[in-house]
Structures are given as C-alpha cells and as structure tokens.
Amino acid sequence: MRSLSSTLLEAQRAASRKPYVQALFDDYWGDRGRLRSTRFYTGSEPENYVAVVVAGDGSLVRARVASGQLYVSRVTSPGAGSTYSSWTDLNACADAGVAVFRQPNNDTLTLVYVDTGGLTLRFKQSTDHGASWGAAGTVATAGAAVTHVAGAANGSGDMVVFWCEGATVYRARANFGSGFGARTAWTNTIASCAGLATEYQGDWGVVVCGTAPTSGDAKVWACVYGDGLDQGANTWSSLIEVTTAVNGSGVSYLSPAVEFSGVYRLWFVEKYTGSLAYSRLQESTLEAGQNFKQEVWAEPVAAPADVTGDYGVAAAVEADGDCWLVQPAGVWYAPATPAAYEASGDVLEAVVDQDGEGARVRLVLDNSHGRYNRGAAEAAKVGPGRRLRLSFGFHTSAGGSPEVSAGPGYWVVRVAQEWAPGRSVVVVEARDAWHLLESWRARRQLQWAAGTKSVNQLLGYVFARAGLEYGNGTSSAAITGLQPAFTIYPGESGAAAVRRLLAKVPDRLRLRSGLALTVYPQASDASEYAYGTEHVVLGGRYGAAPARVNRARVFGASVFDERFDFGGYQEAGEVVRNVVDIGLTTTGQAGERAGFELRAAQVEAEELAVVVPMNVGQEVWDVVTVTDAVVGLSAAKRRVVGLVFRHVAGYGRKQAVYELELRLGAA
C-alpha cells in the first residue's frame, strides 16, 4: 500500500469527505521522457566526423572535419533563431574522428583530433568557453591509423581519451594538472570497430560499434572503463550487447553518441545495404540507476529526428538536461522534461479497474468549452501515446488544500469525442505498463541456457527491452535461485514472456508507472489496512468457491512431481493442472513449481468483494482485514486480488460517486 499522510488518512475516513482527482498528461515512455527534437539549422556542410559540447556559459561549441581541415563553431545563445553557419578553420588534420568535452571542475574545454598523417592524437584547450583555443599538445602516437575518437572528463578534471586503431581500442589518461600517460590497449576483443562514444558518470561508460570475432555479426556493445564506482580504477569491464545483426544480413552499426539526460541516451546508425538501402538513426535508453556493465538497455528504435547519413549525430546536454544533436549541416534541440498538461478541472468520471494482469482506465473529460475538439492543441496533449498520471485524493485539513496519493502512470490507447444535445465530453481510455510490455516484440530469437540467468535477471532483461524499470520489493528464494533454460521467440511480446517467467515462481508484480516491483505473497504477511472499523464498509458480496486448481502435476526434463490441495479436492473433485516445463531439471524444482501453482490458485480465488469509501493508497496484492457483523467477519485477513477506483463528479442524470471496490482472495 502506498504511504499516506496523516491528514489524507483522516480525510478518507471522515464522515464528510470532499474528493479531489488529479489528471496530469505528459510525454513519457515508462518513466523516461521522450525526446521530441526540433531542427534549428539546415546547412550545406559536407557530412563527416562531428563533435559538440555545451560550455559552462551555455554556449554551444561544435567541431567538424572536412577536406583535411578542423573547423570549430561557437554559438553563445543557442536557440531557434541563432546562426549556426559560422565556422572557424582551426588547423589541418587527418580525416578521422574528433571529440570535444568539458572539465566540470573548471569549465575548460578540451578538443581532441588526429593530426595529419593519421597517427598522432592532438588536443587543444579553451579556458573561455570556446572563444579561443590554445596551442596543440599530444595525447599519444598510435601504432596504426586512428579512426574513431571519444573523450570525457571526471568531476576532478581527470581526462580519458579513447580511440580505435583497427579493431583495438586504446586509451590515455591525464590526471588533472598532469599530461597524458601511456597509450594502453583495452582488454576486450572485437573483429572491427565502426565507432566510439563515451559518457562519464562515476566511471567512463563506453559504447562501441563493430563486428564480433568468429561470427562476424554486427554489434553495438557497452562496457565500462573504471574510475572506482562500479568498476576498478583504470580497468575494463567485459562487453555487453546492446543490439546485434546477423552476419550476411546486410546490416551494420556505426557512429554512436551517448549522453546522460535524466537517463542514459544512446544514438547510433543502423546501415542496410540490401534492396531499399538506408542509413537510419537509432536510439536507446538506460535507466539512471544502471550502468554500462548491465544488459538492460531498451530495445533500439528509429529516432524521430530527420537525420540521415553514416556519421550519425554528436550529442550534448545542458545543465537542465535539455539535449542537442548535431551534424555538420544540422542542429536539433529537444527538451529533456516533457511539459505536463493538467486536466483535473475537467474530470467528470474516472474509473480504474485493476488486477494482477494490469489496469484499464476510463476517464471522461468535460468538453463543453471545446478545448479537446479535434485539431485543438489540448487534444494532442491528451491524445494516444501520452502518459496519464491519475491520482485520487481529498481536500484535507492541511490548509484546506487537496492532497493525493500519487498514482501510477497509464498510457492513452484511445480517445473518443462524444456529444449529444447539451452534452460534450471526451472519453480517454488508458492502460498501465502491461500495455508497454505488450507493445515490445522480440526482433529475433533470444535464448539462455540453464544456469545462465535467474528468473529475476530474465525479468529485468525483458522489462528493460520494453523501456521499463524492474526491481525487487519482497521476493522469494526461487526468483533469484532458479536459473532455467529460457527462450523468447521472434515476435513474442514482452507481456507473454513475463507471464511465462512468473509462472515459474510464486512472486507477482506491482506496477508503479514505469517501475515493476516484485511482491512475494505469503500467508504470514501482516495486514496493512483495516475496513469495517474506522474505514466503514458500504456493501459487499460474500461467497465461497473452490480454487481453480487442487492438483498440480509438473513435468520437467525427465523429472516429475505433484502437489494436492486435499481440502479443495474433497469439495470439488479433482481439478488438475498439468504443467510441462523442460527448464526444470530436478524433482525438487518440479515439486516447488507444483506448490506455486496451488498457492496461486488459492490466493487468486475471489472469496468476497466489498465496496468502501475511497482509499486512495490501496494496491493490488496488499493484505487487509475486513470486519462486517452482517456476515460474521471480524478482522478477517484477505489479500487484494483486484480493485476498482470509481469517481463520478455528479453531472447530468448521474449521481456523485467516490468509492473503491475491493476484490479479495485468501491472504
């Protein structure tokens, strides 16, 4: 159950209550803001290597390579009307990668490029936010032609420059106040390198495009060069895969860029050389609390920006998280935090029907003013794909102001404008994050051998591919201990894969916007709320039905076991469930699975439903007690297996309603 303030608890239990419903619409996928980029500049500069940084004074500083020359540009107040076509020819250089980054401790900018001849990496620095550049120094001299370059500084001003010599990534580090140290190769192996990018957040996260040894498959990898946070200082983690394309498919990956803007954001080019060839910018995200050592990047999707070419984009982020994407001939801007639109004053009805399989929302907005008419700006703000934050609350004694229990996010799937004489409304239908899981489909077969990943890790992988976050609230030993063989089939949805994984363990999921938390329902769980005493019961439906399963038979890989619910067996006769799961390799695992099946059937068998005045913090899988003298219940412990939040403002012929229906099963 969500935590409620004392004044909110007091208000929802009071004999006289003044409801409040908050409806906020914004532009998020899960809890990750969508970047909606606007193009500020279209020029005629030739496509080539490019870099960008936001200086300490807010200037946008770009660097590009063209025809053996290095050009720089500084726009002091970047915006829609700024001039981006002015460039300064800095010096001659090789036709190779370029990087520019800021030292956050003193706002010095460092520009790294490859000198003529293609072997020597040079750097220049600016102490006036890119207005002028000092004399060139040397980073390192390579043993083979340098192609791609990346660099970043930590909070102390220590700098690391990364570059490719053939298929080997090298680095050189300069601690603050000292020159660059030795040229040192990484400890990973790839067959070819087609791009490098880096971002510093406690360690240097590095993204590499290229091909894999042996298979020759095209890959985008992430790894960490350590600064002591999640990886030992000056050591490399192994490579983890962001995406892959099979050798011979005609697909390659090029030119990555990565930045941190609330979450990690990654861009790279997907190049296809077959019929209807293309070079298309892709983007992926990684939750802020994760790192580049974890296999939890979102499935890359086509970026909405009108970007073409093999060199992709360079990216930079302002202090507030707003993002700049650039090419030599293009500049795009995207605010990091999508603007929210509040429709609370127009809410006539709000119904949330939720169970363990997800939530379905029906929201009715007053449109007598015409604000949501087709084509109006507000219509788009409440339209399909937007996130709806729907929260129930009350006006409380805290200054008479409304308080809400911050509800989860739902995603709009349909909007309908309805009208009749004297009545005009907009009906918004929305779903919770299960809808986002259903939207993700496996691009190819994904397979893990037994002993590779636990159910917990597999769930984290699937949620991440769908752009969602996953974590553990309460959890069983099975969810972390069981490491089954598991396959996600091409075209299978994330929701289907998650349901198959949850069937293997006793755990359930509670979705809070873009975050899924495990819940381990146990008979010993304490009650979190009481109904029928301070919080009255308005009505109920009481009954008894046998569990839908009373004998569970589980067949694994040449193993078998079963479990019985003899009480239910005697009442209803045999109701058997046969489970075939070749990922189970021991009779112990088969027996546990059979027990999980019986336990789930007992918990989810609805015993009673009660209607109560609105409890704005209640959640599925909570344990509550019910006292009702009418049917002889006294502090009877039950588990919430479904609920309906119901609000009607009272309009037309409809009476005002503000209540909660609870569907309850065995604790």
Side-chain angles (χ1 to χ4, degrees):
M1 181 170 167
R2 293 190 296 271
S3 178
L4 304 180
S5 70
S6 59
T7 49
L8 197 49
L9 277 170
E10 177 188 35
Q12 73 177 20
R13 291 169 175 167
S16 177
R17 298 173 292 272
K18 186 178 180 181
Y20 178 77
V21 177
Q22 184 182 71
L24 299 174
F25 292 85
D26 53 30
D27 196 16
Y28 282 77
W29 183 274
D31 291 331
R32 307 173 190 187
R34 288 187 176 103
L35 286 184
R36 305 276 185 174
S37 57
T38 301
R39 189 164 190 161
F40 284 173
Y41 173 64
T42 302
S44 57
E45 295 88 342
E47 185 187 7
N48 211 316
Y49 295 100
V50 66
V52 64
V53 68
V54 176
D57 67 346
S59 296
L60 188 70
V61 178
R62 294 170 292 157
R64 67 183 177 93
V65 173
S67 302
Q69 295 297 126
L70 177 63
Y71 296 88
V72 293
S73 170
R74 177 177 183 246
V75 180
T76 56
S77 299
S82 302
T83 299
Y84 297 95
S85 57
S86 178
W87 296 90
T88 299
D89 186 344
L90 200 60
N91 53 252
C93 68
D95 187 8
V98 61
V100 62
F101 53 90
R102 183 174 69 92
Q103 292 172 266
N105 62 319
N106 62 2
D107 283 341
T108 295
L109 300 185
T110 299
L111 174 63
V112 181
Y113 61 96
V114 183
D115 208 346
T116 56
L119 295 178
T120 304
L121 288 104
R122 303 287 192 192
F123 74 99
K124 291 186 174 184
Q125 293 189 309
S126 173
T127 57
D128 53 12
H129 311 296
S132 63
W133 297 90
T138 299
V139 175
T141 299
V146 175
T147 51
H148 308 283
V149 178
N154 65 15
S156 301
D158 301 344
M159 302 180 290
V160 177
V161 174
F162 305 94
W163 67 92
C164 286
E165 300 176 25
T168 303
V169 175
Y170 287 84
R171 62 86 179 165
R173 177 168 183 159
N175 294 327
F176 185 66
S178 303
F180 281 95
R183 160 182 167 266
T184 306
W186 69 348
T187 52
N188 292 307
T189 302
I190 60 177
S192 69
C193 179
L196 277 177
T198 188
E199 166 68 4
Y200 184 86
Q201 293 289 326
D203 295 301
W204 283 271
V206 179
V207 176
V208 186
C209 292
T211 56
T214 309
S215 69
D217 294 346
K219 302 274 188 180
V220 180
W221 295 281
C223 61
V224 174
Y225 178 69
D227 202 28
L229 180 62
D230 296 309
Q231 181 72 21
N234 301 313
T235 67
W236 287 92
S237 74
S238 59
L239 298 171
I240 69 99
E241 182 184 299
V242 178
T243 193
T244 188
V246 175
N247 186 15
S249 64
V251 173
S252 58
Y253 300 118
L254 318 166
S255 308
V258 65
E259 278 290 344
F260 184 82
S261 173
V263 296
Y264 293 100
R265 300 183 187 274
L266 166 64
W267 300 265
F268 60 90
V269 174
E270 179 183 273
K271 183 180 178 68
Y272 175 60
T273 54
S275 178
L276 301 178
Y278 62 79
S279 291
R280 183 172 297 144
L281 189 68
Q282 304 282 301
E283 64 178 351
S284 178
T285 55
L286 176 68
E287 197 61 40
Q290 310 295 343
N291 63 58
F292 286 31
K293 296 166 65 175
Q294 296 167 303
E295 199 178 8
V296 287
W297 287 89
E299 189 75 54
V301 297
D306 53 333
V307 176
T308 59
D310 292 353
Y311 289 85
V313 296
V317 169
E318 296 181 349
D320 60 3
D322 291 355
C323 192
W324 294 90
L325 302 178
V326 307
Q327 288 186 315
V331 175
W332 294 261
Y333 171 78
T337 305
Y341 174 76
E342 183 164 2
S344 306
D346 292 326
V347 174
L348 298 176
E349 295 182 45
V351 178
V352 179
D353 189 339
Q354 184 176 12
D355 57 24
E357 290 292 302
R360 295 147 294 279
V361 177
R362 185 175 186 269
L363 179 70
V364 180
L365 300 176
D366 177 24
N367 193 37
S368 58
H369 39 58
R371 257 198 300 269
Y372 307 114
N373 288 345
R374 185 183 297 270
E378 285 80 1
K381 294 175 182 178
V382 303
R386 299 285 165 158
R387 183 178 69 170
L388 165 62
R389 297 299 299 264
L390 186 62
S391 303
F392 296 92
F394 293 91
H395 289 265
T396 72
S397 59
S401 59
E403 291 183 66
V404 299
S405 173
Y410 310 97
W411 281 267
V412 178
V413 296
R414 184 175 181 271
V415 177
Q417 188 176 341
E418 299 179 1
W419 65 273
R423 178 177 179 271
S424 179
V425 300
V426 164
V427 179
V428 177
E429 296 176 11
R431 297 277 311 282
D432 67 358
W434 277 102
H435 169 66
L436 304 188
L437 275 176
E438 290 165 0
S439 299
W440 178 77
R441 302 278 168 166
R443 272 56 165 176
R444 59 186 178 87
Q445 181 167 295
L446 301 165
Q447 195 166 20
W448 294 268
T452 305
K453 285 184 181 293
S454 68
V455 171
N456 201 49
Q457 291 169 319
L458 290 167
L459 285 167
Y461 177 87
V462 177
F463 273 93
R465 295 314 277 186
L468 300 166
E469 190 176 1
Y470 169 83
N472 294 118
T474 58
S475 56
S476 69
I479 201 170
T480 54
L482 182 61
Q483 297 180 322
F486 192 71
T487 300
I488 301 176
Y489 303 98
E492 185 177 12
S493 74
V498 165
R499 290 187 183 103
R500 288 198 293 118
L501 286 165
L502 288 176
K504 299 176 183 295
V505 294
D507 305 73
R508 293 296 178 260
L509 291 177
R510 177 177 288 151
L511 299 184
R512 292 178 173 170
S513 197
L515 170 64
L517 288 172
T518 56
V519 179
Y520 178 27
Q522 299 179 79
S524 59
D525 290 343
S527 172
E528 298 174 82
Y529 202 80
Y531 293 102
T533 51
E534 292 180 89
H535 199 125
V536 300
V537 174
L538 302 176
R541 180 179 70 252
Y542 305 89
R548 65 181 188 272
V549 178
N550 55 45
R551 180 185 183 185
R553 308 173 74 230
V554 177
F555 301 83
S558 300
V559 297
F560 166 79
D561 204 350
E562 62 182 345
R563 294 290 184 272
F564 290 88
D565 172 8
F566 286 109
Y569 196 94
Q570 292 175 342
E571 293 171 358
E574 181 178 274
V575 184
V576 67
R577 169 168 293 172
N578 292 318
V579 175
V580 178
D581 185 347
I582 61 173
L584 303 177
T585 57
T586 68
T587 54
Q589 291 174 348
E592 280 193 341
R593 175 68 181 273
F596 299 159
E597 294 288 339
L598 291 184
R599 169 68 176 153
Q602 293 163 356
V603 169
E604 295 169 21
E606 181 182 321
E607 293 185 3
L608 63 104
V610 295
V611 177
V612 299
M614 182 67 76
N615 177 353
V616 299
Q618 198 74 77
E619 295 182 285
V620 170
W621 309 125
D622 287 343
V623 175
V624 300
T625 57
V626 179
T627 297
D628 191 341
V630 174
V631 291
L633 290 178
S634 177
K637 193 164 73 167
R638 296 293 186 271
R639 190 174 298 273
V640 179
V641 296
L643 43 77
V644 181
F645 295 94
R646 189 176 291 113
H647 161 70
V648 179
Y651 66 101
R653 297 181 180 180
K654 298 192 175 186
Q655 293 186 336
V657 174
Y658 200 56
E659 64 187 21
L660 174 65
E661 178 184 336
L662 294 161
R663 299 191 290 271
L664 302 171

